[in-house]
């Protein structure tokens, strides 16, 4: 398995993988307006999208959204958001998510990011465990609601000279 930058031609497949993973996990419903957001992440050239691939098959994806007007949490230079970590349902439990997350941490550090931020649903307990095991901390002050009744939990990881 390798982690690499996605190609523009693969962005629709990466978006479909995200949607399939969120639906399979019960974190999204079929007609949810967020489906189209998930599908389109990275297609505007605003961020870095990585994919995990094995034998030509995409197993997972994650996005780094650097500071800009569309940032969910990043507000200051040196901050960036990790968005939409997703692993194909039949590839879960194989370390794909951990490899993607570590690769994105390295990529962020190489790009000069000093504070990585992310949001996650309270029900995404496996993701919480992964983030915490990779050095992210819960920051309740980063919690927010993108839509009424949809609460997201905030996490951060500070990057330093040993990262990347």
């Amino acid at each position: 398995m390798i982690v690499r930058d996605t190609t523009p031609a693969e962005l629709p497949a990466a978006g479909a993988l995200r949607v399939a993973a969120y639906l399979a996990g019960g974190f999204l419903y079929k007609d949810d307006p967020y489906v189209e957001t998930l599908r389109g992440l990275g297609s505007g050239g605003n961020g870095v999208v990585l994919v995990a691939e094995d034998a030509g098959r995409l197993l997972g994806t994650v996005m780094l959204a650097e500071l800009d007007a569309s940032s969910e949490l990043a507000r200051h230079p040196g901050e960036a958001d990790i968005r939409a970590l997703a692993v194909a349902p039949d590839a879960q439990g194989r370390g794909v998510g951990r490899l993607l997350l570590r690769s994105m941490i390295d990529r962020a550090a190489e790009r000069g990011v000093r504070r990585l931020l992310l949001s996650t649903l309270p029900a995404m307990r496996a993701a919480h465990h992964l983030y915490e095991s990779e050095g992210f901390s819960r920051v309740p002050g980063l919690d927010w609601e993108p839509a009424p009744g949809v609460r997201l939990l905030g996490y951060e990881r500070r990057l330093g000279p040993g990262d990347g």
Side-chain angles (χ1 to χ4, degrees):
M1 178 176 19
I2 62 166
V3 173
R4 60 172 175 76
D5 289 299
T6 190
T7 66
E10 291 172 322
L11 286 171
L17 185 152
R18 282 185 209 109
V19 170
Y22 278 54
L23 285 170
F27 306 123
L28 190 67
Y29 58 91
K30 187 178 178 183
D31 297 325
D32 191 313
Y34 191 58
V35 166
E36 290 312 309
T37 300
L38 273 179
R39 279 191 206 287
L41 284 175
S43 61
N46 57 336
V48 175
V49 179
L50 299 180
V51 292
E53 173 195 347
D54 189 24
R57 180 172 172 250
L58 297 186
L59 302 179
T61 184
V62 65
M63 180 178 171
L64 179 72
E66 296 184 87
L67 180 64
D68 70 11
S70 66
S71 297
E72 290 185 333
L73 296 172
R75 297 288 177 258
H76 306 286
E79 295 181 345
D81 298 340
I82 287 183
R83 299 203 49 200
L85 175 63
V87 176
D90 64 339
Q92 293 178 5
R94 295 176 39 195
V96 176
R98 185 172 306 278
L99 184 59
L100 281 164
L101 185 60
R102 286 180 178 172
S103 297
M104 192 54 83
I105 290 167
D106 290 345
R107 181 63 64 87
E110 290 167 4
R111 296 174 75 89
V113 174
R114 293 291 157 240
R115 185 177 183 221
L116 275 174
L117 305 161
L118 62 86
S119 298
T120 182
L121 289 166
M124 293 179 164
R125 297 197 197 300
H128 304 171
H129 175 72
L130 172 63
Y131 300 141
E132 290 165 7
S133 72
E134 291 298 325
F136 284 82
S137 300
R138 269 282 289 128
V139 180
L142 294 175
D143 294 358
W144 63 294
E145 288 191 11
V150 178
R151 182 171 163 249
L152 296 176
L153 307 179
Y155 281 78
E156 75 171 358
R157 178 173 168 175
R158 300 213 178 245
L159 303 179
D163 294 301

